[in-house]
Amino acid sequence: MTSGGPTTSSRAFAAFTFVMVALFIGLGVWQLQRRAEKHALIAALTDRVAAAPAPLPPPGDWRTLTPERDEFRRVSFTATYAKLPDAMVYSAGSAVREDVSGPGTWAFLPARLPPGETVVIDAGFVANTMQERSIQDRQVGKLVTGEPVILTGYLRFPEAAGLLTAAESRDKRLWFTRDHRAMARTLGWGEVAPFYIDLETPVPDNGIPKPGPLSPHLRDEHMQYAITWFSLAAALIVAFAVWARGRRAANR
């Protein structure tokens, strides 16, 4: 082996360094792209929640609605709360309601539209820290009057349960994800719209359940992640340069 010639191990280390630097730079660029997409999403959601309420889309259009285009659209319509079992959804707080910061439950109720279709309504927050069924029963019962009411709120789409999500309690009618379709199947609500309504108004006289305006706050840490990946790439380049200079000095 000649004194100054590259060894097999040197070439392998150089190739490994090149691949890792390219990978780190690619991840950094990907985070910048995600940051741009997140900013566009934040702008779109901000516009949707600030817009004047539009009529609820007709049932014929429900299948075409998507979270990407329609989540948080503000709508207004007339419906009648159905005399059917309601559901509780546990929450430790809210990322879209600035006035909800502690644990409690959300009151989910089915409501009938004048033509007969059923839309599920998240009627608001109940400060129900122990998820007591009797607490929500007292509050929700006052909403089910049999009279139509004008509801204004936001289109929302169901959540999927994660691997670590607790199973629902059927005895308490308690869920841990906002999956209104699962509630409908379990509680006999019949066929429901593919979305539910996060209620803004009307507010009950005693304020419970507590509906309210939404203010989506999405985490935006992509710049920090991008800087981390670019920093790792730069550190690896510096480390390789130092190593290579040491190898050259040793081979002189």
Side-chain angles (χ1 to χ4, degrees):
M1 180 177 64
T2 60
S3 61
T7 64
T8 300
S9 61
S10 299
R11 289 195 295 270
F13 184 59
F16 171 78
T17 301
F18 175 81
V19 169
M20 294 305 297
V21 168
L23 175 63
F24 290 155
I25 291 175
L27 289 170
V29 170
W30 175 62
Q31 287 295 337
L32 291 179
Q33 292 171 341
R34 291 198 63 195
R35 181 173 182 265
E37 293 169 356
K38 180 66 69 65
H39 284 190
L41 177 59
I42 291 172
L45 296 184
T46 300
D47 288 344
R48 290 175 199 172
V49 299
L56 188 72
D61 293 344
W62 287 357
R63 292 185 180 275
T64 68
L65 302 176
T66 65
E68 293 77 18
R69 292 197 313 266
D70 302 295
E71 186 97 45
F72 295 108
R73 280 178 56 186
R74 198 158 168 247
V75 295
S76 186
F77 58 99
T78 298
T80 303
Y81 286 116
K83 294 183 179 181
L84 292 169
D86 64 285
M88 300 189 299
V89 179
Y90 174 77
S91 172
S94 176
V96 295
R97 285 275 301 273
E98 295 180 346
D99 59 333
V100 175
S101 58
T105 53
W106 301 96
F108 275 64
L109 296 83
R112 306 284 191 207
L113 300 178
E117 296 86 1
T118 299
V119 174
V120 177
I121 311 296
D122 174 4
F125 183 75
V126 180
N128 186 2
T129 55
M130 301 303 293
Q131 303 104 60
E132 292 290 340
R133 165 46 57 186
S134 59
I135 291 177
Q136 184 158 315
D137 282 343
R138 288 195 299 272
Q139 305 304 332
V140 168
K142 293 177 290 187
L143 301 178
V144 185
T145 64
E147 297 296 325
V149 61
I150 298 175
L151 304 174
T152 298
Y154 308 84
L155 293 183
R156 301 294 305 276
F157 290 83
E159 301 172 339
L163 292 176
L164 301 179
T165 303
E168 71 274 9
S169 169
R170 298 196 176 194
D171 290 341
K172 297 175 72 171
R173 306 199 300 277
L174 172 66
W175 271 258
F176 294 88
T177 56
R178 297 182 178 216
D179 187 351
H180 69 287
R181 294 174 299 187
M183 301 172 203
R185 290 192 296 269
T186 302
L187 300 178
W189 293 349
E191 185 175 354
V192 298
F195 54 84
Y196 67 92
I197 300 297
D198 220 328
L199 192 65
E200 179 183 2
T201 59
V203 179
D205 292 339
N206 67 346
I208 306 173
K210 184 181 182 182
L214 302 189
S215 179
H217 295 286
L218 303 182
R219 293 180 62 183
D220 180 14
E221 298 178 350
H222 298 296
M223 179 59 76
Q224 295 92 310
Y225 295 148
I227 291 172
T228 298
W229 290 121
F230 290 141
S231 298
L232 288 172
L236 193 53
I237 291 171
V238 171
F240 179 78
V242 171
W243 174 84
R245 185 166 59 181
R247 292 278 295 180
R248 286 196 299 270
N251 290 330
R252 285 176 184 166

